Amino acid sequence: MPAVISSDHADPSLSACSLPSPSSVPSISAAELRLHNSAPDAPFWAVVDGFVVDASLFRTKHPGGLRKLLQTNDAGAGATAGEFSFSFSRGKNAHFPDTGKRFRAGVEAFLRGEGGEVDFPPHGSLVILGRLQI
């Protein structure tokens, strides 16, 4: 089990990576994801725990700044050295526990067909679009 960064950060048990997806969940390819990140004014799609999210609303409100947000999909930014491995609850960029809990609850609601918007007041919301096709 990967180490927790510090006691005030989320732990791997909050990860949404292992949640089973019904066949009705849209599958989004890395190529399609990259198309939505190809222009400065294009929507920004990111991968969090294997789920593709529209993070466009965070462009101006991300607490870590735009540069940090735009690195989310990069190799080395997530829980592993691989591309698209970002997690709120695993790895060097783990967030506070409430963030991990909020995202996991949002994914669970999305998988039940109850919408895909996850609010992170006062910074905005993420919209879950589907699962990254590997």
Side-chain angles (χ1 to χ4, degrees):
M1 178 192 273
V4 174
I5 302 306
S6 69
S7 62
D8 66 344
H9 283 74
D11 67 79
S13 70
L14 298 175
S15 174
C17 286
S18 62
L19 294 175
S21 295
S23 60
S24 59
V25 170
S27 183
I28 299 169
S29 70
E32 182 179 355
L33 182 139
R34 287 186 185 100
L35 285 175
H36 289 276
N37 297 338
S38 59
D41 58 344
F44 179 68
W45 288 12
V47 178
V48 180
D49 284 342
F51 290 87
V52 177
V53 300
D54 184 337
S56 301
L57 295 176
F58 276 86
R59 281 185 184 258
T60 59
K61 296 182 178 184
H62 186 267
L66 180 61
R67 182 172 172 244
K68 190 81 164 167
L69 175 69
L70 297 178
Q71 293 174 345
T72 303
N73 295 326
D74 294 350
T80 68
E83 185 178 36
F84 307 123
S85 66
F86 181 80
S87 176
F88 288 127
S89 55
R90 299 177 302 125
K92 67 181 181 180
N93 285 311
H95 286 54
F96 294 111
D98 184 57
T99 304
K101 289 175 189 173
R102 194 176 289 264
F103 185 71
R104 183 180 172 100
V107 169
E108 289 170 339
F110 172 76
L111 295 174
R112 289 190 305 267
E114 299 172 4
E117 190 165 339
V118 184
D119 292 321
F120 294 95
H123 308 294
S125 60
L126 297 176
V127 178
I128 303 169
L129 305 171
R131 194 151 212 161
L132 182 66
Q133 177 185 343
I134 299 176

